[in-house]
Amino acid sequence: MGTAIRSKRPPDSVDAILEQWRRERPDLEISPMGPIGRLKRCAALLQRKLDKKFSEFGMTNWEFDVLATLRRSGAPYCLAPTVLFAALMITSGTMTHRLQRLEAAGWVERIPNRNDARSMLVQLTAAGLDLIDRAVEAHLENEREILALIRPDALASLDDRLAELLSTLETPDP
Protein backbone atom coordinates (compact mmCIF):
# COMPACT_ATOMS: atom_id res chain seq x y z
CA MET A 1 0.00 0.00 0.00
CA GLY A 2 1.06 3.63 -0.49
CA THR A 3 2.98 5.28 2.29
CA ALA A 4 2.72 8.83 3.55
CA ILE A 5 5.43 11.42 2.87
CA ARG A 6 8.30 10.81 5.30
CA SER A 7 10.77 13.38 4.07
CA LYS A 8 11.53 16.57 6.00
CA ARG A 9 11.59 18.57 2.78
CA PRO A 10 8.71 20.86 1.86
CA PRO A 11 6.05 19.12 -0.26
CA ASP A 12 6.22 19.60 -4.03
CA SER A 13 3.74 19.27 -6.90
CA VAL A 14 4.42 15.53 -7.22
CA ASP A 15 3.57 15.02 -3.55
CA ALA A 16 0.13 16.48 -4.25
CA ILE A 17 -0.39 13.98 -7.08
CA LEU A 18 0.77 11.12 -4.89
CA GLU A 19 -1.63 12.15 -2.15
CA GLN A 20 -4.51 12.14 -4.65
CA TRP A 21 -3.61 8.61 -5.73
CA ARG A 22 -3.31 7.48 -2.09
CA ARG A 23 -6.78 8.87 -1.46
CA GLU A 24 -8.37 7.45 -4.60
CA ARG A 25 -6.53 4.14 -4.83
CA PRO A 26 -5.14 3.19 -1.41
CA ASP A 27 -4.74 -0.37 -2.73
CA LEU A 28 -1.89 0.68 -5.05
CA GLU A 29 1.76 0.82 -4.05
CA ILE A 30 2.57 4.13 -5.75
CA SER A 31 6.19 4.70 -4.70
CA PRO A 32 7.55 4.46 -8.31
CA MET A 33 5.43 7.47 -9.24
CA GLY A 34 7.51 9.74 -6.99
CA PRO A 35 10.91 9.55 -8.68
CA ILE A 36 9.50 9.12 -12.19
CA GLY A 37 7.09 12.04 -11.74
CA ARG A 38 9.84 14.25 -10.35
CA LEU A 39 12.23 13.35 -13.18
CA LYS A 40 9.55 14.16 -15.76
CA ARG A 41 8.63 17.43 -14.05
CA CYS A 42 12.31 18.40 -13.68
CA ALA A 43 12.94 17.57 -17.34
CA ALA A 44 10.04 19.77 -18.46
CA LEU A 45 11.06 22.68 -16.24
CA LEU A 46 14.72 22.35 -17.23
CA GLN A 47 13.80 22.30 -20.90
CA ARG A 48 11.95 25.61 -20.50
CA LYS A 49 15.05 27.21 -18.98
CA LEU A 50 17.35 25.73 -21.63
CA ASP A 51 15.02 26.73 -24.48
CA LYS A 52 14.92 30.30 -23.21
CA LYS A 53 18.73 30.51 -23.41
CA PHE A 54 18.85 28.86 -26.86
CA SER A 55 16.27 31.34 -28.14
CA GLU A 56 18.67 34.17 -27.28
CA PHE A 57 20.87 32.74 -30.05
CA GLY A 58 17.99 32.30 -32.48
CA MET A 59 18.07 28.54 -32.15
CA THR A 60 16.01 25.71 -30.76
CA ASN A 61 17.07 22.82 -28.54
CA TRP A 62 17.40 20.40 -31.46
CA GLU A 63 19.44 22.92 -33.46
CA PHE A 64 21.78 23.32 -30.50
CA ASP A 65 22.06 19.52 -30.20
CA VAL A 66 23.00 19.04 -33.86
CA LEU A 67 25.52 21.90 -33.88
CA ALA A 68 26.99 20.79 -30.55
CA THR A 69 27.35 17.21 -31.78
CA LEU A 70 29.27 18.43 -34.82
CA ARG A 71 31.38 20.81 -32.70
CA ARG A 72 32.41 18.22 -30.13
CA SER A 73 33.38 15.77 -32.90
CA GLY A 74 36.50 17.91 -33.38
CA ALA A 75 37.95 19.60 -36.43
CA PRO A 76 36.88 19.59 -39.21
CA TYR A 77 33.47 19.42 -37.38
CA CYS A 78 32.11 17.01 -39.91
CA LEU A 79 30.06 13.80 -39.55
CA ALA A 80 28.02 11.44 -41.66
CA PRO A 81 24.27 11.98 -41.29
CA THR A 82 23.93 8.40 -39.99
CA VAL A 83 26.38 9.16 -37.17
CA LEU A 84 24.45 12.32 -36.35
CA PHE A 85 21.02 10.73 -36.18
CA ALA A 86 22.37 7.82 -34.11
CA ALA A 87 24.04 10.22 -31.66
CA LEU A 88 20.89 12.32 -31.40
CA MET A 89 18.55 9.31 -31.17
CA ILE A 90 16.29 10.46 -34.00
CA THR A 91 15.16 8.90 -37.27
CA SER A 92 16.88 9.45 -40.59
CA GLY A 93 13.78 11.26 -41.90
CA THR A 94 13.86 13.66 -38.96
CA MET A 95 17.58 14.18 -39.51
CA THR A 96 17.05 15.01 -43.19
CA HIS A 97 14.43 17.65 -42.33
CA ARG A 98 16.64 19.14 -39.62
CA LEU A 99 19.69 19.29 -41.85
CA GLN A 100 17.68 21.12 -44.51
CA ARG A 101 16.71 23.76 -41.93
CA LEU A 102 20.26 24.09 -40.63
CA GLU A 103 21.59 24.41 -44.17
CA ALA A 104 19.03 27.11 -44.97
CA ALA A 105 20.16 28.99 -41.86
CA GLY A 106 23.76 28.78 -43.10
CA TRP A 107 24.98 26.85 -40.05
CA VAL A 108 25.89 23.58 -41.79
CA GLU A 109 26.75 22.48 -45.29
CA ARG A 110 26.79 19.10 -46.97
CA ILE A 111 30.08 18.14 -48.53
CA PRO A 112 31.11 15.10 -50.56
CA ASN A 113 32.46 12.15 -48.59
CA ARG A 114 36.01 11.51 -49.86
CA ASN A 115 35.80 7.90 -48.62
CA ASP A 116 32.44 7.11 -50.24
CA ALA A 117 31.43 8.95 -53.41
CA ARG A 118 27.80 7.82 -52.89
CA SER A 119 27.37 9.78 -49.65
CA MET A 120 27.63 13.27 -48.24
CA LEU A 121 28.94 14.55 -44.92
CA VAL A 122 27.55 17.33 -42.75
CA GLN A 123 29.99 20.04 -41.69
CA LEU A 124 29.68 23.16 -39.58
CA THR A 125 30.10 26.37 -41.55
CA ALA A 126 32.16 29.21 -40.11
CA ALA A 127 28.89 30.85 -39.03
CA GLY A 128 27.72 27.60 -37.41
CA LEU A 129 31.02 27.19 -35.57
CA ASP A 130 30.89 30.76 -34.28
CA LEU A 131 27.27 30.33 -33.20
CA ILE A 132 27.77 27.06 -31.34
CA ASP A 133 30.92 28.30 -29.63
CA ARG A 134 29.04 31.32 -28.26
CA ALA A 135 25.91 29.31 -27.45
CA VAL A 136 27.70 26.52 -25.59
CA GLU A 137 29.43 29.05 -23.33
CA ALA A 138 26.07 30.65 -22.46
CA HIS A 139 24.50 27.19 -22.11
CA LEU A 140 27.10 26.11 -19.55
CA GLU A 141 26.64 29.31 -17.57
CA ASN A 142 22.86 28.73 -17.66
CA GLU A 143 23.34 25.18 -16.35
CA ARG A 144 25.63 26.47 -13.57
CA GLU A 145 22.97 28.97 -12.55
CA ILE A 146 20.23 26.32 -12.59
CA LEU A 147 22.27 24.05 -10.29
CA ALA A 148 23.82 26.78 -8.11
CA LEU A 149 21.48 26.32 -5.15
CA ILE A 150 22.27 22.62 -4.77
CA ARG A 151 25.14 21.80 -2.40
CA PRO A 152 28.16 20.35 -4.25
CA ASP A 153 28.00 17.05 -2.30
CA ALA A 154 24.27 16.71 -2.98
CA LEU A 155 24.84 17.51 -6.66
CA ALA A 156 27.56 14.85 -6.89
CA SER A 157 25.24 12.34 -5.23
CA LEU A 158 22.40 13.27 -7.58
CA ASP A 159 24.70 12.83 -10.56
CA ASP A 160 25.73 9.37 -9.30
CA ARG A 161 22.10 8.29 -8.80
CA LEU A 162 21.11 9.58 -12.24
CA ALA A 163 24.07 7.73 -13.78
CA GLU A 164 22.77 4.54 -12.12
CA LEU A 165 19.31 5.11 -13.55
CA LEU A 166 20.70 5.91 -16.99
CA SER A 167 22.79 2.74 -16.95
CA THR A 168 19.70 0.71 -16.09
CA LEU A 169 17.64 2.37 -18.84
CA GLU A 170 20.39 2.00 -21.45
CA THR A 171 20.80 -1.74 -20.76
CA PRO A 172 19.03 -3.60 -23.56
CA ASP A 173 15.97 -5.59 -22.60
CA PRO A 174 16.64 -9.34 -22.52
Side-chain angles (χ1 to χ4, degrees):
M1 304 298 163
T3 57
I5 301 166
R6 292 193 175 106
S7 177
K8 294 181 182 183
R9 63 172 169 70
D12 60 27
S13 58
V14 174
D15 288 322
I17 292 167
L18 295 174
E19 281 305 314
Q20 290 171 331
W21 277 117
R22 284 185 192 100
R23 183 189 70 233
E24 295 301 316
R25 290 293 308 270
D27 58 307
L28 295 177
E29 203 296 289
I30 60 165
S31 62
M33 287 182 173
I36 299 292
R38 286 185 181 87
L39 282 169
K40 288 175 64 177
R41 180 103 172 112
C42 284
L45 293 169
L46 280 169
Q47 197 59 59
R48 283 187 201 163
K49 290 179 181 284
L50 298 178
D51 288 345
K52 183 177 178 190
K53 184 57 64 177
F54 297 143
S55 72
E56 292 174 15
F57 291 87
M59 64 172 43
T60 63
N61 180 61
W62 70 259
E63 289 167 325
F64 177 88
D65 286 346
V66 173
L67 298 180
T69 301
L70 288 166
R71 177 62 174 99
R72 70 177 184 263
S73 73
Y77 317 116
C78 185
L79 293 171
T82 53
V83 173
L84 270 174
F85 73 72
L88 298 168
M89 298 185 295
I90 58 175
T91 66
S92 61
T94 299
M95 188 80 255
T96 299
H97 172 73
R98 290 181 177 183
L99 291 177
Q100 289 168 347
R101 288 194 42 194
L102 292 169
E103 257 186 314
W107 298 336
V108 301
E109 61 187 347
R110 294 181 214 215
I111 61 171
N113 185 342
R114 292 180 297 179
N115 299 325
D116 181 358
R118 299 168 296 157
S119 67
M120 301 291 280
L121 298 173
V122 179
Q123 184 172 37
L124 282 177
T125 61
L129 179 60
D130 176 65
L131 176 65
I132 194 58
D133 278 346
R134 289 183 296 113
V136 76
E137 290 173 14
H139 173 63
L140 282 168
E141 184 54 36
N142 190 31
E143 288 183 328
R144 279 187 198 92
E145 290 172 13
I146 290 167
L147 299 174
L149 296 178
I150 302 174
R151 294 184 336 269
D153 61 318
L155 189 56
S157 178
L158 173 63
D159 193 42
D160 287 343
R161 300 299 75 77
L162 289 172
E164 285 179 42
L165 176 61
L166 183 59
S167 177
T168 300
L169 293 172
E170 287 181 337
T171 301
D173 292 332

